[in-house]
Amino acid sequence: GNNGALVNNPTWTAGKFAGALMFSTPGNYVFMDSRGISSSQGTISLWYKPNYTTRSTIGLTHEILNLGPKTYTVGRIRIFNNREHQDIRVNHDPPPDLLSYTRLSSGIWYHLAYTWDSAAGSRVYYLNSVANVTASGTWTPLAVPGRIYVGKSEDSSSIADGAIDDLRIYDRSLSSLEIQSLFQGAAGLLDTLPPARPKGLRIR
């Protein structure tokens, strides 16, 4: 994996599972290099608990993750919401943005995932393992930017204003079943009971 550096002391807080990082003060963030990440296909998965309810903070931008590192870096992948009415916005250069209109409420953990595959022409934003916004159409992938910023972008003072836990970035586009497994498995919802023997079964 790629190790991240904590800048300006984002604080540790209770997470979805163990510990999460809270980004609530301007200037605190995590950055890491983007080594091993594919521009042609991939997946970003994370848990996010906002300190606000979307649509109640019109005029503010909340930067969750920027594979950028800047807001307009060529080839960027940016997950955020902004001064318009989008509840979550995925800005992936060069394809058009994915805009979600599903409200997020303060103090609740949400699983956000974004998958992309340029050759297949597929982009999907998942909310709690359910495809929330999809787009189709192939595009020519650009070079992956060199750094990833978590909690803000390099050229903006806007912050996530919330907690982020269990960030994962894959170099392939995960299937819907794999996204569901991330959501259910990480949330401890997988069935751990051994299978029961069917009644009337004869073993020969």
Side-chain angles (χ1 to χ4, degrees), residues 49 52 101 109-110 126 129 141 161 164 199-200:
K49 183 172 75 170
Y52 59 95
Y101 294 92
W109 282 104
Y110 295 93
Y126 293 89
S129 80
D161 194 13
I164 296 176
K199 293 181 179 180

Side-chain angles (χ1 to χ4, degrees), residues 1-85:
N2 298 359
N3 294 323
L6 278 63
V7 179
N8 293 327
N9 301 315
T11 57
W12 288 102
T13 185
K16 176 66 179 178
F17 316 111
L21 284 175
M22 175 64 73
F23 301 91
S24 57
T25 303
N28 57 26
Y29 61 94
V30 172
F31 83 89
M32 65 192 85
D33 67 58
S34 59
R35 182 183 67 256
I37 297 175
S38 170
S39 60
S40 59
Q41 62 173 308
T43 300
I44 296 170
S45 167
L46 58 89
W47 287 87
Y48 177 53
K49 183 172 75 170
N51 293 332
Y52 59 95
T53 295
T54 55
R55 302 186 215 173
S56 67
T57 56
I58 302 302
L60 297 178
T61 298
H62 301 100
E63 299 281 353
I64 300 171
L65 180 142
N66 194 334
L67 201 173
K70 297 183 179 181
T71 52
Y72 294 104
T73 300
V74 172
R76 68 193 170 276
I77 299 176
R78 183 179 170 213
I79 301 176
F80 70 113
N81 59 39
N82 67 357
R83 64 188 69 249
E84 301 168 17
H85 294 272

Side-chain angles (χ1 to χ4, degrees), residues 78-98:
R78 183 179 170 213
I79 301 176
F80 70 113
N81 59 39
N82 67 357
R83 64 188 69 249
E84 301 168 17
H85 294 272
Q86 287 81 22
D87 296 282
I88 288 292
R89 183 170 187 158
V90 180
N91 173 218
H92 187 163
D93 183 40
D97 291 1
L98 297 183

